[in-house]
Each structure stands twice: as structure tokens, then as C-alpha cells.
């Protein structure tokens, strides 16, 4: 079930108490960048003037099969998601980015849930 399907079920049952919604998660995200570990290493090399290569720099190397997504939230906090492909033949950059982002978004839910619970607790006190 997708997050939106769950939200639709909640609404269909008339559950109206404060909660974190898929829209809340998306609204909290103000930036996203996805890259493979190989791209990150290459950026590190460029930043530090390093000319050497590494085993993961090959087109089918293991660093090319690991994708990261970094989400920046509206308060400046960041969360990461990862996607690793076991078989180089199955690697697809777009799919890797989608999975990595989905995994990063999954980390936003508990953060927003904590914030909501904290505000509900303060209001009740």
C-alpha cells in the first residue's frame, strides 16, 4: 500500500485527529539531491585535487551500484536514503534514485510525528 492509499483509507474512515499526511511530508522537503557513491567519490577527488582512480570507478564497479538521496527539510535538517543494486546488469539510475528517495522520505515521517506529538503534548499541558 502506498502512503496515499493509507491516507485515503484514514479519510474514508472519518479519522480526523491531527496526523502527519503525505502532503505534510512533501511540504517539509525543500531540496533533494541524488547521486551514486562513485559520483560522490569523484566529487571528493575533484574537491581535493586527487587524480587517482579506484576500483569502484569502473562502469560496473560497486560504487556505481549504490545510490544516495539527501533530502533537506524546511528547518535545515537533512535525511538520507540509500538504494543498493546487487546485480550490475539490473542497475538503472532512475530506479535507484526513486528507491533512495522513497527510503529518505520514510525517515521524515517519524520526525514529523515526533514534532506533532510534541505540540499536542504542549497543548494538553
Amino acid at each position: 500500500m502506498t502512503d496515499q492509499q493509507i491516507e485515503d483509507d484514514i479519510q474514508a474512515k472519518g479519522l480526523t485527529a491531527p496526523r502527519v499526511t503525505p502532503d505534510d511530508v512533501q511540504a517539509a522537503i525543500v531540496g533533494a539531491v541524488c547521486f551514486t557513491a562513485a559520483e560522490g567519490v569523484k566529487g571528493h577527488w575533484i574537491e581535493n585535487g586527487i587524480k587517482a582512480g579506484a576500483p569502484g570507478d569502473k562502469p560496473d564497479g560497486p560504487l556505481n551500484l549504490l545510490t544516495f538521496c539527501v533530502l533537506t527539510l524546511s528547518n535545515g535538517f537533512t535525511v538520507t536514503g540509500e538504494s543498493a543494486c546487487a546485480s550490475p546488469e539490473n542497475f538503472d539510475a532512475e530506479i535507484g534514485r526513486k528507491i533512495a528517495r522513497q527510503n529518505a522520505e520514510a525517515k521524515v515521517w517519524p520526525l514529523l510525528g515526533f514534532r506533532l506529538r510534541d505540540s499536542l503534548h504542549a497543548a494538553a499541558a
Side-chain angles (χ1 to χ4, degrees), residues 31-84:
V33 62
C34 296
F35 54 91
T36 66
E39 292 167 333
V41 168
K42 288 177 188 176
H44 170 73
W45 290 341
I46 292 168
E47 184 73 24
N48 293 287
I50 300 169
K51 306 260 187 224
D57 192 33
K58 295 183 225 170
D60 63 346
L63 295 181
N64 288 294
L65 304 177
L66 174 60
T67 304
F68 295 99
C69 182
V70 180
L71 300 179
T72 303
L73 306 183
S74 57
N75 64 0
F77 194 71
T78 56
V79 294
T80 61
E82 305 79 28
S83 170

